[in-house]
Amino acid sequence: MLEAKNLMVFYENMLALNNISIKCDKNRIIGIFGANSAGKSTLMYTLSGIMLDIQKKEKMAGGERVTITGDILLDNQNIKDVKPSLRARAGIILCPERRRLFKESSVLENLRIGGYLATKAQAKTTLDYIMNMFPALQKLRKRSGGFLSGGEQQMVAIGRALMAQPKFLLLDEPLLGLSPLMQATLIKAIKAIQLETKITIIISEQYARPVFPIVDYAYILENGAAVMEGTGGELMDNPDVKSAYFGVS
Ligand code: ATP
């Protein structure tokens, strides 16, 4: 299980995460929902350890002071001071907001870069799996990342993260800027990936409506705090959630 306990993150004096505690059980899809600036990316960075790098870089550059308190537990071991590369080796893999592909590199190169933690056999099996899951990528193998549509880029970004053999796959706003049709395609793929691989998927989204039906459990963030939590069904039945996310009052 991946768990955050009483997480607080400050950018200087600005409180970005306010005493967040979440539990991500194995073999689940966990949703992290919230408006712009609610703290979703900060939470994803903190779980994956990237926040430690941001903190270090800011300190070296004499920039803003980033303060992180609270604990992050992986199977009951505290990993709050473990650097992101070691967390990746332990299976915590972040697929960042806005995809961040290597734009000059081809689809295949982008995927292979993700496989740096995989054995040769794992890389081959996973590559075949990705091409089956996203058949649209078959014909685009040699195309540069910069010449793909947003949806195709997101498929590659998810594929690249899968190549790293995650146990916990963190998807930060994977639907951002995509058409409803592409969103539906990706949601279906994300559900299928979870069912087939048993990886735990933690997915953050602002426009959570299409994501609610596939989550086992979700947290709703507001101003850095988790203000509501429950199973996907419980939350979809909640009147506040209905009016905020489904336009029903
Ligand atoms: P979005 O949907 O816009 O990505 P988010 O829910 O991911 O939003 P965060 O990016 O985690 O939210 O931001 C949480 C708060 O922290 C926001 O008020 C944001 O302006 C602030 N913030 C984020 N990064 C920094 C930073 N490097 N320095 C200062 N403030 C920051």
Side-chain angles (χ1 to χ4, degrees):
M1 177 160 66
L2 181 61
E3 208 177 337
K5 273 191 179 165
N6 307 113
L7 266 193
M8 312 264 274
V9 173
F10 293 84
Y11 299 106
E12 287 293 349
N13 297 324
M14 209 287 266
L15 182 58
L17 290 187
N18 185 0
N19 204 21
I20 297 251
S21 295
I22 66 165
K23 283 185 181 178
C24 308
D25 275 323
K26 291 208 166 122
N27 198 6
R28 294 274 191 281
I29 300 184
I30 308 292
I32 307 287
F33 301 140
N36 221 338
S37 293
K40 303 180 297 296
S41 295
T42 302
L43 179 58
M44 293 301 218
Y45 284 150
T46 311
L47 289 172
S48 59
I50 310 272
M51 209 64 208
L52 293 175
D53 277 358
I54 295 174
Q55 185 183 42
K56 212 188 300 172
K57 267 190 208 139
E58 288 291 340
K59 196 169 177 188
M60 276 165 61
E64 63 184 0
R65 186 165 36 97
V66 177
T67 311
I68 310 165
T69 67
D71 296 313
I72 298 171
L73 307 177
L74 175 62
D75 296 332
N76 290 322
Q77 266 201 314
N78 204 333
I79 56 162
K80 76 176 167 69
D81 299 320
V82 173
K83 59 184 183 179
S85 57
L86 291 179
R87 290 193 208 186
R89 274 181 201 282
I92 302 173
I93 304 292
L94 174 68
C95 180
E97 189 180 340
R98 298 185 194 282
R99 353 280 186 213
R100 313 260 172 119
L101 292 191
F102 298 100
K103 295 215 160 62
E104 313 288 318
S105 305
S106 71
V107 165
L108 215 47
E109 284 162 349
N110 267 283
L111 293 172
R112 292 217 168 106
I113 291 163
Y116 72 105
L117 292 172
T119 64
K120 235 178 170 178
Q122 283 173 326
K124 186 182 178 318
T125 310
T126 312
L127 194 57
D128 290 346
Y129 181 77
I130 294 162
M131 290 299 172
N132 268 319
M133 181 58 64
F134 299 119
L137 296 184
Q138 293 272 14
K139 280 186 288 184
L140 302 171
R141 296 164 96 92
K142 295 200 174 132
R143 185 165 302 176
S144 301
F147 286 96
L148 300 173
S149 72
E152 291 158 357
Q153 287 191 18
Q154 189 61 56
M155 291 174 192
V156 178
I158 293 174
R160 184 179 58 182
L162 286 175
M163 289 292 285
Q165 313 299 309
K167 294 193 180 89
F168 295 90
L169 173 61
L170 279 48
L171 301 177
D172 196 4
E173 301 210 48
L175 306 184
L176 191 71
L178 304 182
S179 70
L181 187 64
M182 182 51 75
Q183 291 187 355
T185 303
L186 283 170
I187 284 294
K188 213 169 135 201
I190 290 166
K191 181 70 181 169
I193 290 168
Q194 201 290 315
L195 285 174
E196 290 165 13
T197 64
K198 314 290 183 215
I199 294 169
T200 295
I201 297 182
I202 303 163
I203 175 169
S204 85
E205 265 310 328
Q206 178 170 358
Y207 301 104
R209 188 177 176 148
V211 192
F212 271 106
I214 66 157
V215 296
D216 295 296
Y217 202 82
Y219 297 84
I220 296 189
L221 304 192
E222 259 176 44
N223 298 321
V227 293
M228 227 187 281
E229 62 177 89
T231 64
E234 281 165 2
L235 289 173
M236 278 193 290
D237 278 344
N238 181 292
D240 291 338
V241 173
K242 272 188 183 159
S243 68
Y245 289 94
F246 295 90
V248 183
S249 52

